[in-house]
Amino acid sequence: MAHDFPSFGDPHGGSSPDLTREAVLAAVEARLISTLGEPSGRAAVTFLGTDRIEVLRFGPDAEGLVRYATLGMSAAPMADPTQPVADQLRGPRVELVLTVRGGRDGVLRSLATFAATPQVEGLVVAPGGSLDLGAPLWDGAPFTSVLAAEPGGLVEDLELAEPAEPVRFLPLLPMTPIEAGWKRVHGAAALQERWLSQGTDLRDPQRRGVKLD
């Protein structure tokens, strides 16, 4: 799977009792439910050599929007790529949220794949970066990659016990292959400005790519 996030070292070491995997994920799930309501479905995927990743489905809401949120990515912090040994307490923690009008449950495995990249490939997933699946995000999707957007707009950051950083919930914005290539050259901000200026509905599962010439 292609990506443009920095890599980091292999994480090992202990953890604070207040920041166990179970405690962190219970708090994350509670935040998602308090914001988005009770899940309408959930699935779990375990890749070889990784911890379990769940994807929760919320909705559809009154507008027909379905939201998919990962659960498991934030159990451990992502490490500073310049450090040879990962810190088990400090470092960014994120979960991913994708909004699709009408829903596309076929995206569940794709989201779990993205959520497992810090464990599998040693990546720091951050706003402005992209993840490329190399295949449609779901059957028939015109998108093969996503842009990680700024957190805080839909689901507020979740504060954890010090010295841990908050869990941030990053919206994922699907990109067509042409948009993804243009973004690599011109940057995330430029692509988002094109989307905004052309009134692009990024929640439309069948939208066409924006004009980029």
Side-chain angles (χ1 to χ4, degrees):
M1 182 181 64
H3 55 77
D4 59 4
F5 296 108
S7 297
F8 64 84
D10 186 28
H12 294 287
S15 177
S16 164
D18 295 331
L19 296 170
T20 63
R21 174 182 175 84
E22 293 76 14
V24 170
L25 296 187
V28 168
E29 184 169 0
R31 172 57 55 86
L32 289 169
I33 290 173
S34 68
T35 303
L36 303 175
E38 289 293 332
S40 56
R42 64 197 304 154
V45 178
T46 303
F47 300 100
L48 183 64
T50 70
D51 292 324
R52 172 189 175 101
I53 299 289
E54 289 191 86
V55 180
L56 309 186
R57 181 185 66 209
F58 298 89
D61 64 11
E63 299 179 63
L65 299 177
V66 177
R67 294 183 169 90
Y68 300 93
T70 63
L71 180 63
M73 191 176 180
S74 62
M78 298 178 290
D80 183 339
T82 65
Q83 299 299 317
V85 179
D87 189 322
Q88 288 298 291
L89 298 179
R90 299 170 182 83
R93 297 174 187 252
V94 303
E95 296 289 356
L96 310 174
V97 182
L98 175 70
T99 302
V100 181
R101 178 169 285 105
R104 292 294 188 276
D105 286 356
V107 79
L108 296 170
R109 187 170 182 85
S110 298
L111 290 179
T113 300
F114 292 151
T117 54
Q119 297 182 63
V120 175
E121 300 185 37
L123 305 178
V124 175
V125 180
S130 57
L131 289 163
D132 192 334
L133 193 65
L137 297 185
W138 58 82
D139 287 344
F143 318 106
T144 57
S145 61
V146 292
L147 171 66
E150 292 291 335
L154 179 62
V155 183
E156 292 184 2
D157 296 350
L158 173 66
E159 297 292 335
L160 298 177
E162 293 185 354
E165 294 185 22
V167 177
R168 295 183 168 88
F169 300 85
L170 305 184
L172 297 183
L173 309 178
M175 297 186 291
T176 66
I178 293 176
E179 289 173 339
W182 195 87
K183 178 261 177 186
R184 285 193 291 271
V185 175
H186 299 279
L191 177 59
Q192 289 177 294
E193 177 58 34
R194 288 296 181 101
W195 282 336
L196 182 62
S197 66
Q198 297 181 38
T200 307
D201 182 1
L202 297 172
R203 301 167 299 184
D204 181 352
Q206 293 296 330
R207 73 169 180 86
R208 295 185 178 182
V210 294
K211 296 180 180 179
L212 298 171
D213 51 9

